[in-house]
Amino acid sequence: METNTNLSLLDKFQDWISRSTSLKLVIIGFIILILLIPQALTTDLIIERQIRLEEAENEVTGKWSRSQTVIGPYLALPYHYYREVQSNGENKIIKELKTAYFLPDLLDITGDLHAESLHRGIFDVVVYQSDIQLKADFGSIALEKLDITAEQVLWDQASFLISVSDLRGIGENPELTLNNTPLISEPFTDSQTYLKGLQFPVSFDSASKDFTFSGKIKLKGSKDFHIVPLGKTTELKLTGNWPNPSFQGEFLPEERSMDDEGFQSNWKILHFNRPFGQEFNGTLPNFHDSAFGLSLKMPVDQYQQSIRTSKYSILIIVLSFLALFLMEIFTKSRVHPLQYILIGFALVLYYTLLIALSEQLGFSLAYLMASLATVGLLALYAKSLFSQLKITGIFTGILSLFYIFIFVIIKQQDYALLIGSIGLFVALAATMFISRKIDWYKS
């Protein structure tokens, strides 16, 4: 008799475990926590692929030429500096060699960038070749502003300098002139400012007043192209065949136009807009802080968008499980925790499928195909869980709506918070409305 009673209590306990809604919710919550582990591994995989892309970019740009920043031209004048020192009770005059630097009054640069995509395995890297036309008008050299006299200057050792970030990008001998007189170029490196580039030795007398430095340079680079506004007035005109450049730096173009054929952009910078003057003695400021220009990037960064998509994975899992749980309650079907786990793994595997496809097809098409594959798989599986085809259709429609919702958020970056908040509010309201008649105390 006692044995039968014990069996009866055991049967009731097992029946309560199998039918308890509250316990089922606890189990579902635990499954969601467990699924965070493979989801974290999937996110790590996406980051790893992104790092691999960066390695491929560094490998390609290291052989081609890296991003370029052009600084110049500016004039370097060596001069003798005399100072008095006391040694052994006697005053002595020490002569030192210093350099004064002078920037142009007008700097006019016109550049045409021909961009192309190089392939490294499955990765694409943007590089460019550019034709740079430049003209720099210098006025009279204001030696007095630096307390230098004409007699101190070594006029036969003057030179014009143009700094470029990567000397490997210089494809041909530059064709530059001073007042229409051709100049010879040679490389230089400044150990104090860490600038490197081309110098053009010149020799002129102290009576030289206005002069014009002009010509063209062919320059290769990758992704970014910037200049520094050295002129009292700096004008930059850039054109190219890349349809979607990103304008960057301290100044944005006054005029710009972009279409499928390429872009056109114009800048005009005054010396009031920059934090340095026109003359320097001995050292130069950090010009790079005032650089501006553009970046030629791939139109779609599938890794960045995949990472943003994966951040919503927990939301997809929770909403999908919630929809499945409510259908289980109303249809009085019984979905085993193992079946929840299988559905959860399918939702997690979606992101691995997404990144694999996006590397080959681009993000948008990959998102469509991965979503169709996942929703289709879960629809077929749901057909075995629910006897009614209508319920399977509703579950499939809800899943589809979730993925459409996430895609809209990813694409509408400026309104992602607004759209996401409204969507979650609607989902919460729908859940509250649907579950309002469930008697949780009897569950």
Side-chain angles (χ1 to χ4, degrees):
M1 185 72 178
E2 185 178 351
T3 303
N4 292 334
T5 303
N6 291 336
L7 289 176
S8 178
L9 291 175
L10 182 60
D11 291 340
K12 289 181 179 180
F13 180 71
Q14 291 177 342
D15 183 66
W16 175 80
I17 291 178
S18 63
R19 296 183 180 276
S20 174
T21 303
S22 301
L23 182 61
K24 192 64 167 289
L25 283 173
V26 172
I27 294 174
I28 291 174
F30 180 74
I31 292 173
I32 291 174
L33 292 177
I34 294 298
L35 290 174
L36 292 179
I37 299 175
Q39 177 55 34
L41 296 176
T42 302
T43 303
D44 290 343
L45 174 62
I46 298 174
I47 295 175
E48 179 185 345
R49 300 300 291 176
Q50 188 174 28
I51 294 174
R52 181 67 186 92
L53 170 61
E54 294 173 355
E55 292 175 350
E57 289 179 344
N58 290 333
E59 188 174 351
V60 171
T61 58
K63 296 178 180 179
W64 175 269
S65 181
R66 302 189 185 278
S67 300
Q68 296 285 13
T69 299
V70 178
I71 306 175
Y74 54 95
L75 175 63
L77 283 180
Y79 69 95
H80 286 137
Y81 174 73
Y82 301 92
R83 62 187 180 93
E84 186 177 349
V85 298
Q86 192 173 31
S87 176
N88 298 324
E90 298 181 358
N91 293 332
K92 294 184 178 181
I93 302 298
I94 301 297
K95 182 172 68 173
E96 298 178 348
L97 183 63
K98 291 191 173 184
T99 303
Y101 300 96
F102 299 89
L103 307 186
D105 291 337
L106 173 65
L107 177 60
D108 189 351
I109 298 179
T110 301
D112 181 43
L113 278 63
H114 177 76
E116 58 182 304
S117 178
L118 297 183
H119 306 285
R120 187 67 175 177
I122 63 173
F123 304 108
D124 295 327
V125 182
V126 182
V127 299
Y128 61 81
Q129 301 184 63
S130 62
D131 291 321
I132 309 299
Q133 297 280 346
L134 58 86
K135 178 182 178 183
D137 293 331
F138 291 79
S140 58
I141 302 173
L143 295 175
E144 66 280 0
K145 291 187 177 181
L146 300 177
D147 294 327
I148 302 174
T149 64
E151 289 74 20
Q152 293 176 257
V153 178
L154 304 177
W155 296 100
D156 60 339
Q157 297 181 29
S159 61
F160 288 93
L161 303 176
I162 299 178
S163 169
V164 294
S165 302
D166 194 338
L167 290 172
R168 293 172 302 172
I170 301 175
E172 299 179 5
N173 289 327
E175 299 176 5
L176 295 163
T177 64
L178 179 64
N179 292 339
N180 297 321
T181 300
L183 297 174
I184 299 175
S185 63
E186 55 188 46
F188 84 92
T189 300
D190 190 328
S191 59
Q192 293 183 340
T193 62
Y194 300 104
L195 295 177
K196 58 182 180 296
L198 298 174
Q199 66 177 355
F200 302 85
V202 295
S203 178
F204 50 92
D205 57 53
S206 59
S208 298
K209 296 296 182 181
D210 299 339
F211 45 90
T212 299
F213 182 94
S214 60
K216 64 179 181 179
I217 299 177
K218 290 185 176 294
L219 195 63
K220 296 191 304 181
S222 57
K223 297 180 67 174
D224 301 332
F225 177 82
H226 295 92
I227 75 159
V228 175
L230 293 190
K232 277 190 175 180
T233 300
T234 300
E235 296 184 3
L236 172 64
K237 302 179 181 64
L238 287 180
T239 59
N241 64 337
W242 199 251
N244 52 352
S246 173
F247 299 104
Q248 298 181 342
E250 291 299 299
F251 308 97
L252 295 176
E254 294 183 344
E255 300 177 359
R256 73 186 82 174
S257 62
M258 292 173 284
D259 54 35
D260 293 338
E261 300 297 324
F263 67 90
Q264 295 182 347
S265 53
N266 299 320
W267 287 262
K268 185 175 182 179
I269 313 299
L270 303 178
H271 70 289
F272 303 109
N273 309 134
R274 59 178 207 199
F276 52 83
Q278 289 293 113
E279 305 86 13
F280 306 95
N281 195 349
T283 59
L284 292 170
N286 186 1
F287 286 134
H288 288 88
D289 289 342
S290 299
F292 66 95
L294 50 79
S295 179
L296 306 177
K297 296 183 178 180
M298 297 302 295
V300 177
D301 186 349
Q302 67 268 19
Y303 299 107
Q304 182 179 1
Q305 294 187 77
S306 296
I307 289 176
R308 291 187 62 212
T309 304
S310 68
K311 290 180 180 179
Y312 295 98
S313 60
I314 185 64
L315 178 62
I316 288 288
I317 294 173
V318 169
L319 292 178
S320 299
F321 279 14
L322 178 61
L324 184 63
F325 173 74
L326 290 176
M327 290 181 179
E328 180 182 356
I329 294 297
F330 285 109
T331 62
K332 301 187 183 303
S333 302
R334 298 176 65 181
V335 181
H336 195 273
L338 180 60
Q339 294 173 312
Y340 275 95
I341 293 176
L342 292 176
I343 292 174
F345 278 132
L347 295 173
V348 171
L349 185 61
Y350 163 84
Y351 298 96
T352 304
L353 184 62
L354 173 63
I355 188 61
L357 291 174
S358 66
E359 289 181 340
Q360 307 294 331
L361 306 174
F363 179 79
S364 296
L365 183 56
Y367 191 97
L368 174 62
M369 295 185 65
S371 300
L372 289 176
T374 302
V375 172
L377 173 63
L378 294 181
L380 292 174
Y381 191 64
K383 187 179 179 182
S384 65
L385 301 179
F386 305 109
S387 57
Q388 300 179 31
L389 188 61
K390 178 182 177 181
I391 301 300
T392 302
I394 293 175
F395 181 68
T396 303
I398 292 175
L399 284 178
S400 302
L401 187 61
F402 289 161
Y403 283 109
I404 293 173
F405 172 62
I406 297 300
F407 184 78
V408 172
I409 292 178
I410 296 300
K411 289 299 182 180
Q412 300 295 326
Q413 296 187 31
D414 295 336
Y415 302 99
L417 180 60
L418 177 62
I419 296 173
S421 299
I422 293 175
L424 289 177
F425 182 83
V426 171
L428 177 60
T431 302
M432 294 172 67
F433 178 79
I434 294 172
S435 62
R436 70 191 188 281
K437 294 184 178 181
I438 297 178
D439 189 349
W440 299 101
Y441 286 103
K442 293 183 178 180
S443 301

Short mmCIF file of all heavy atoms in Angstrom, two decimals, residues 10-25 27-28 325 328-329 332-337 339-340 442-443:
data_model
loop_
_atom_site.label_atom_id
_atom_site.label_comp_id
_atom_site.label_asym_id
_atom_site.label_seq_id
_atom_site.Cartn_x
_atom_site.Cartn_y
_atom_site.Cartn_z
N LEU A 10 5.29 9.86 -7.01
CA LEU A 10 6.33 10.01 -8.03
C LEU A 10 5.74 10.34 -9.39
O LEU A 10 6.25 11.20 -10.12
CB LEU A 10 7.17 8.73 -8.09
CG LEU A 10 8.35 8.75 -9.09
CD1 LEU A 10 9.33 9.86 -8.74
CD2 LEU A 10 9.04 7.40 -9.11
N ASP A 11 4.63 9.65 -9.71
CA ASP A 11 3.96 9.93 -10.99
C ASP A 11 3.45 11.36 -11.03
O ASP A 11 3.56 12.04 -12.07
CB ASP A 11 2.81 8.96 -11.20
CG ASP A 11 3.29 7.54 -11.45
OD1 ASP A 11 4.48 7.40 -11.83
OD2 ASP A 11 2.50 6.60 -11.24
N LYS A 12 2.88 11.81 -9.90
CA LYS A 12 2.37 13.18 -9.87
C LYS A 12 3.52 14.19 -10.01
O LYS A 12 3.38 15.22 -10.67
CB LYS A 12 1.62 13.42 -8.55
CG LYS A 12 0.30 12.69 -8.46
CD LYS A 12 -0.40 12.99 -7.15
CE LYS A 12 -1.75 12.29 -7.06
NZ LYS A 12 -2.46 12.57 -5.77
N PHE A 13 4.66 13.88 -9.35
CA PHE A 13 5.81 14.79 -9.44
C PHE A 13 6.35 14.87 -10.88
O PHE A 13 6.65 15.95 -11.40
CB PHE A 13 6.91 14.32 -8.48
CG PHE A 13 8.14 15.18 -8.50
CD1 PHE A 13 8.13 16.46 -7.96
CD2 PHE A 13 9.32 14.71 -9.10
CE1 PHE A 13 9.26 17.24 -7.97
CE2 PHE A 13 10.45 15.50 -9.13
CZ PHE A 13 10.42 16.77 -8.56
N GLN A 14 6.45 13.69 -11.52
CA GLN A 14 6.93 13.67 -12.91
C GLN A 14 5.95 14.37 -13.84
O GLN A 14 6.34 15.06 -14.78
CB GLN A 14 7.14 12.22 -13.35
CG GLN A 14 8.31 11.53 -12.65
CD GLN A 14 8.45 10.07 -13.07
OE1 GLN A 14 7.50 9.48 -13.60
NE2 GLN A 14 9.61 9.48 -12.81
N ASP A 15 4.63 14.18 -13.54
CA ASP A 15 3.63 14.86 -14.36
C ASP A 15 3.70 16.37 -14.18
O ASP A 15 3.55 17.14 -15.12
CB ASP A 15 2.24 14.34 -13.99
CG ASP A 15 1.16 14.94 -14.87
OD1 ASP A 15 1.16 14.65 -16.08
OD2 ASP A 15 0.33 15.74 -14.35
N TRP A 16 3.98 16.79 -12.91
CA TRP A 16 4.12 18.24 -12.66
C TRP A 16 5.33 18.81 -13.39
O TRP A 16 5.29 19.90 -13.95
CB TRP A 16 4.26 18.47 -11.16
CG TRP A 16 4.52 19.92 -10.83
CD1 TRP A 16 3.63 20.93 -10.76
CD2 TRP A 16 5.80 20.50 -10.53
NE1 TRP A 16 4.25 22.11 -10.44
CE2 TRP A 16 5.60 21.87 -10.30
CE3 TRP A 16 7.10 19.97 -10.43
CZ2 TRP A 16 6.63 22.74 -9.98
CZ3 TRP A 16 8.12 20.83 -10.11
CH2 TRP A 16 7.89 22.20 -9.89
N ILE A 17 6.43 18.05 -13.38
CA ILE A 17 7.63 18.50 -14.08
C ILE A 17 7.37 18.67 -15.57
O ILE A 17 7.79 19.63 -16.21
CB ILE A 17 8.80 17.52 -13.83
CG1 ILE A 17 9.25 17.60 -12.38
CG2 ILE A 17 9.97 17.81 -14.77
CD1 ILE A 17 10.36 16.63 -12.04
N SER A 18 6.65 17.72 -16.16
CA SER A 18 6.41 17.75 -17.61
C SER A 18 5.41 18.82 -18.00
O SER A 18 5.41 19.30 -19.14
CB SER A 18 5.93 16.38 -18.09
OG SER A 18 4.69 16.05 -17.48
N ARG A 19 4.52 19.23 -17.05
CA ARG A 19 3.45 20.17 -17.42
C ARG A 19 3.61 21.55 -16.78
O ARG A 19 2.89 22.47 -17.14
CB ARG A 19 2.09 19.58 -17.00
CG ARG A 19 1.73 18.31 -17.74
CD ARG A 19 0.35 17.82 -17.35
NE ARG A 19 -0.01 16.59 -18.05
CZ ARG A 19 -0.53 16.57 -19.28
NH1 ARG A 19 -0.76 17.71 -19.91
NH2 ARG A 19 -0.81 15.42 -19.86
N SER A 20 4.54 21.73 -15.88
CA SER A 20 4.68 22.99 -15.16
C SER A 20 5.20 24.08 -16.10
O SER A 20 6.32 23.98 -16.64
CB SER A 20 5.64 22.82 -13.97
OG SER A 20 5.89 24.07 -13.38
N THR A 21 4.41 25.12 -16.26
CA THR A 21 4.81 26.24 -17.11
C THR A 21 5.94 27.02 -16.48
O THR A 21 6.88 27.45 -17.16
CB THR A 21 3.61 27.17 -17.35
OG1 THR A 21 2.55 26.42 -17.94
CG2 THR A 21 3.99 28.31 -18.27
N SER A 22 5.86 27.21 -15.17
CA SER A 22 6.90 27.97 -14.48
C SER A 22 8.25 27.28 -14.59
O SER A 22 9.28 27.91 -14.86
CB SER A 22 6.53 28.15 -13.00
OG SER A 22 5.30 28.83 -12.88
N LEU A 23 8.25 25.95 -14.37
CA LEU A 23 9.49 25.21 -14.50
C LEU A 23 10.01 25.25 -15.93
O LEU A 23 11.21 25.35 -16.17
CB LEU A 23 9.28 23.76 -14.05
CG LEU A 23 10.52 22.86 -14.09
CD1 LEU A 23 11.61 23.41 -13.16
CD2 LEU A 23 10.16 21.43 -13.70
N LYS A 24 9.10 25.21 -16.89
CA LYS A 24 9.48 25.27 -18.30
C LYS A 24 10.17 26.60 -18.61
O LYS A 24 11.16 26.65 -19.34
CB LYS A 24 8.23 25.10 -19.17
CG LYS A 24 8.53 24.85 -20.64
CD LYS A 24 9.27 23.54 -20.82
CE LYS A 24 9.33 23.08 -22.25
NZ LYS A 24 8.02 22.63 -22.76
N LEU A 25 9.64 27.68 -18.03
CA LEU A 25 10.26 28.99 -18.23
C LEU A 25 11.67 29.03 -17.65
O LEU A 25 12.60 29.60 -18.24
CB LEU A 25 9.41 30.08 -17.59
CG LEU A 25 8.15 30.50 -18.36
CD1 LEU A 25 7.32 31.46 -17.52
CD2 LEU A 25 8.50 31.13 -19.69
N ILE A 27 13.67 26.46 -17.29
CA ILE A 27 14.51 25.63 -18.18
C ILE A 27 14.87 26.40 -19.44
O ILE A 27 16.01 26.38 -19.91
CB ILE A 27 13.79 24.31 -18.51
CG1 ILE A 27 13.63 23.46 -17.25
CG2 ILE A 27 14.56 23.54 -19.59
CD1 ILE A 27 12.81 22.21 -17.46
N ILE A 28 13.88 27.11 -20.02
CA ILE A 28 14.14 27.90 -21.23
C ILE A 28 15.17 28.99 -20.95
O ILE A 28 16.08 29.24 -21.75
CB ILE A 28 12.83 28.51 -21.76
CG1 ILE A 28 11.92 27.40 -22.30
CG2 ILE A 28 13.12 29.53 -22.86
CD1 ILE A 28 10.54 27.90 -22.71
N PHE A 325 7.17 29.31 -27.00
CA PHE A 325 6.58 28.97 -25.71
C PHE A 325 5.09 29.32 -25.67
O PHE A 325 4.27 28.54 -25.18
CB PHE A 325 7.33 29.72 -24.61
CG PHE A 325 6.72 29.57 -23.25
CD1 PHE A 325 6.85 28.39 -22.54
CD2 PHE A 325 6.00 30.62 -22.68
CE1 PHE A 325 6.28 28.26 -21.28
CE2 PHE A 325 5.43 30.49 -21.43
CZ PHE A 325 5.57 29.31 -20.73
N GLU A 328 3.18 26.88 -27.62
CA GLU A 328 3.09 25.63 -26.87
C GLU A 328 1.97 25.70 -25.83
O GLU A 328 1.24 24.72 -25.62
CB GLU A 328 4.43 25.37 -26.18
CG GLU A 328 4.47 24.09 -25.36
CD GLU A 328 5.80 23.90 -24.65
OE1 GLU A 328 6.72 24.73 -24.87
OE2 GLU A 328 5.92 22.94 -23.88
N ILE A 329 1.83 26.86 -25.19
CA ILE A 329 0.79 27.03 -24.17
C ILE A 329 -0.60 26.97 -24.79
O ILE A 329 -1.49 26.24 -24.33
CB ILE A 329 1.00 28.36 -23.42
CG1 ILE A 329 2.29 28.32 -22.61
CG2 ILE A 329 -0.19 28.65 -22.50
CD1 ILE A 329 2.33 27.29 -21.53
N LYS A 332 -1.47 23.66 -26.47
CA LYS A 332 -1.34 22.54 -25.54
C LYS A 332 -0.42 21.45 -26.09
O LYS A 332 -0.58 20.27 -25.81
CB LYS A 332 -2.71 21.96 -25.17
CG LYS A 332 -3.63 22.98 -24.52
CD LYS A 332 -4.90 22.34 -24.01
CE LYS A 332 -5.85 23.38 -23.44
NZ LYS A 332 -5.24 24.18 -22.36
N SER A 333 0.49 21.87 -26.94
CA SER A 333 1.52 20.96 -27.43
C SER A 333 2.63 20.88 -26.39
O SER A 333 2.74 21.73 -25.49
CB SER A 333 2.08 21.44 -28.77
OG SER A 333 1.05 21.57 -29.73
N ARG A 334 3.47 19.89 -26.52
CA ARG A 334 4.57 19.72 -25.58
C ARG A 334 5.88 19.69 -26.36
O ARG A 334 6.14 18.79 -27.15
CB ARG A 334 4.39 18.44 -24.78
CG ARG A 334 3.12 18.45 -23.93
CD ARG A 334 2.93 17.12 -23.21
NE ARG A 334 3.99 16.87 -22.25
CZ ARG A 334 4.04 15.77 -21.50
NH1 ARG A 334 3.13 14.82 -21.64
NH2 ARG A 334 5.02 15.61 -20.64
N VAL A 335 6.67 20.78 -26.14
CA VAL A 335 7.97 20.89 -26.80
C VAL A 335 9.05 20.56 -25.77
O VAL A 335 9.14 21.21 -24.72
CB VAL A 335 8.18 22.31 -27.36
CG1 VAL A 335 9.54 22.41 -28.06
CG2 VAL A 335 7.06 22.68 -28.32
N HIS A 336 9.83 19.55 -26.05
CA HIS A 336 10.85 19.08 -25.12
C HIS A 336 12.01 20.10 -25.04
O HIS A 336 12.33 20.76 -26.04
CB HIS A 336 11.38 17.72 -25.58
CG HIS A 336 12.15 17.00 -24.52
ND1 HIS A 336 13.50 17.20 -24.32
CD2 HIS A 336 11.75 16.07 -23.60
CE1 HIS A 336 13.91 16.43 -23.33
NE2 HIS A 336 12.87 15.73 -22.87
N PRO A 337 12.64 20.23 -23.86
CA PRO A 337 13.79 21.13 -23.75
C PRO A 337 14.89 20.85 -24.77
O PRO A 337 15.55 21.78 -25.25
CB PRO A 337 14.29 20.89 -22.32
CG PRO A 337 13.06 20.49 -21.57
CD PRO A 337 12.23 19.70 -22.54
N GLN A 339 14.41 19.97 -27.78
CA GLN A 339 13.97 20.60 -29.02
C GLN A 339 14.23 22.11 -28.99
O GLN A 339 14.57 22.71 -30.00
CB GLN A 339 12.49 20.30 -29.26
CG GLN A 339 12.23 18.81 -29.53
CD GLN A 339 10.76 18.48 -29.59
OE1 GLN A 339 9.99 18.88 -28.71
NE2 GLN A 339 10.37 17.72 -30.61
N TYR A 340 14.07 22.72 -27.81
CA TYR A 340 14.44 24.13 -27.66
C TYR A 340 15.94 24.32 -27.92
O TYR A 340 16.36 25.29 -28.56
CB TYR A 340 14.10 24.62 -26.25
CG TYR A 340 12.68 25.08 -26.07
CD1 TYR A 340 11.70 24.23 -25.59
CD2 TYR A 340 12.31 26.40 -26.39
CE1 TYR A 340 10.39 24.65 -25.41
CE2 TYR A 340 11.01 26.83 -26.21
CZ TYR A 340 10.05 25.95 -25.73
OH TYR A 340 8.76 26.39 -25.56
N LYS A 442 -2.06 28.38 -12.02
CA LYS A 442 -2.42 27.00 -12.28
C LYS A 442 -1.41 26.29 -13.17
O LYS A 442 -1.57 25.12 -13.48
CB LYS A 442 -3.81 26.94 -12.94
CG LYS A 442 -4.93 27.40 -12.03
CD LYS A 442 -6.27 27.24 -12.71
CE LYS A 442 -7.40 27.65 -11.78
NZ LYS A 442 -8.73 27.49 -12.44
N SER A 443 -0.42 27.04 -13.62
CA SER A 443 0.54 26.47 -14.55
C SER A 443 1.69 25.86 -13.79
O SER A 443 2.10 26.37 -12.76
CB SER A 443 1.04 27.54 -15.51
OG SER A 443 -0.04 28.08 -16.24
#
